[in-house]
Amino acid sequence: MISIPLPFVVALLLSILACVLFFRREARSPLAFVFIAICALTSIIVGLRWTTDIAIFKALQPIFASCIPVVAWYCFANAHHKKRGYFLHALFPLIVMVGSLTYPFWRPPLDPLLVLVYLGYGLALIRSSLNRQKIPENVRLTDVDKVLKAEAFAGVMLLASAVIDGAIGMDFAFYQGGHAVYILTLGHFIMLPILAGAVVVMSLSVVSEQKEEPELEPENVIPKANSVATTKESSTPVLSEQESKDIVAKIDALLSSKEVFLDPDLTLDRLARKVGITARQISIAINQVYGRNVSQVVNEYRIERAKELLISTDKPITQIYFDSGFQTKSNFNREFSRVTQQTPSAFRRTQR
């Protein structure tokens, strides 16, 4: 019976997923396509390296492996709207490439470097996912929790990959690499598909930037960011109680009068451009005043609209969550239960 090495099976599955994203040709999916294509190529190279033992694949394996955590971080950073210092992150794959292609003229510690790169980016993603004040600006507000969970999963998978790389190094040190192929194969079978899935979840929740109607300049609403006090540890502005209340009042007025919460693709970035206040200041002000993030507050407006429709109409619940600004029933049910401690159907029965 013909047997196919597991890395090639993983590469085939990832290639199919990459093709699906490519042919969808959505503005939000190119980054996910690039990442999954890199994962598929890495898996192919791993399979060829351990089945053919050709020198070129030994050199290419660490190069492609070093790109995975960097591109994964880039995908989530793009969802967060971070645009500073991207080119600096290309240094890590560049250093690995130089070290790998010049071997054996010199022997750089590539394995420890890869472990550190995976650890660093894994911890960065987990830390970002736990920071509820700085929610992703380019993600639908209904999908924020889902994207933060995907970001945390991606970070955990990078940490797991660092452990796998460390285990392979230990295996070569003590057992001459006798178990390395099994460790690496199992790691790729588990880590790459989950990591790719996390990036796809994020990409499907990102809303591409587009020109909005009336946008206000930030300086016309509140002081510029450099006029607001900042903490010594970071550039995060510290808003006074009155400044936070003023910002929240403007957000409430926009949500109440123009009902922008009915836009299912509403993001923090779009909300910021509509009201003319920076996304960071909106996020901080709402956390200070409400003790919740922007996503939860906007969803509470949507739930209030849903409650009105449940009481005053006979529309099916499926139609009601669409009419309230939600895109999926799971998000609607989760937020409805959080706000009312009831399911939508139970709420309708009790109110009638």
Side-chain angles (χ1 to χ4, degrees), residues 14-26 28-34 36 196 199-200 203-204:
L14 292 174
S15 299
I16 293 172
L17 180 58
C19 290
V20 170
L21 290 175
F22 177 78
F23 287 111
R24 288 180 65 168
R25 297 186 182 277
E26 294 186 18
R28 60 192 177 184
S29 60
L31 281 177
F33 165 75
V34 170
I36 294 170
V199 172
V200 170
S203 70
L204 295 179

Side-chain angles (χ1 to χ4, degrees), residues 153-345:
F153 268 110
V156 170
M157 288 301 102
L158 292 181
L159 294 182
S161 183
V163 173
I164 290 169
D165 288 340
I168 292 173
M170 296 292 290
D171 184 66
F172 272 102
F174 294 102
Y175 302 102
Q176 290 74 49
H179 309 91
V181 64
Y182 304 108
I183 298 172
L184 192 60
T185 298
L186 182 61
H188 273 72
F189 181 70
I190 297 173
M191 186 268 292
L192 285 183
I194 296 178
L195 192 55
V199 172
V200 170
V201 167
M202 177 277 302
S203 70
L204 295 179
S205 300
V206 170
V207 178
S208 57
E209 294 183 13
Q210 63 182 36
K211 208 65 177 163
E212 302 281 337
E213 346 108 25
E215 297 177 5
L216 301 177
E217 293 296 330
E219 56 266 32
N220 293 336
V221 182
I222 59 173
K224 291 182 180 180
N226 58 12
S227 68
V228 181
T230 58
T231 61
K232 293 181 180 180
E233 296 83 2
S234 68
S235 59
T236 302
V238 177
L239 302 174
S240 68
E241 183 179 352
Q242 188 56 48
E243 286 173 331
S244 295
K245 288 181 178 179
D246 290 343
I247 292 173
V248 168
K250 290 180 172 64
I251 297 297
D252 286 340
L254 178 69
L255 293 171
S256 300
S257 61
K258 295 190 176 181
E259 297 186 332
V260 296
F261 61 86
L262 295 178
D263 177 9
D265 287 332
L266 183 65
T267 65
L268 177 56
D269 182 60
R270 286 187 177 185
L271 184 63
R273 285 186 282 127
K274 283 180 178 293
V275 79
I277 303 174
T278 65
R280 184 171 54 175
Q281 290 171 330
I282 290 175
S283 186
I284 292 171
I286 286 180
N287 270 278
Q288 288 181 356
V289 173
Y290 290 122
R292 301 186 295 282
N293 62 35
V294 181
S295 172
Q296 291 172 320
V297 171
V298 171
N299 283 339
E300 285 163 13
Y301 276 88
R302 291 168 169 158
I303 295 302
E304 287 303 314
R305 174 57 55 86
K307 287 163 65 177
E308 293 175 8
L309 295 175
L310 286 168
I311 296 172
S312 60
T313 72
D314 291 321
K315 290 182 178 180
I317 292 176
T318 302
Q319 184 61 46
I320 286 176
Y321 76 72
F322 278 123
D323 292 345
S324 304
F326 288 94
Q327 279 199 323
T328 65
K329 191 173 182 179
S330 60
N331 284 340
F332 172 62
N333 287 337
R334 185 191 67 244
E335 289 299 297
F336 198 95
S337 297
R338 178 181 67 84
V339 174
T340 67
Q341 285 75 53
Q342 288 181 296
T343 64
S345 55

Side-chain angles (χ1 to χ4, degrees), residues 104-126:
F105 299 106
W106 65 308
R107 297 175 181 271
L110 292 183
D111 289 336
L113 179 59
L114 283 174
V115 171
L116 290 176
V117 169
Y118 274 81
L119 281 175
Y121 282 100
L123 291 173
L125 288 177
I126 292 174

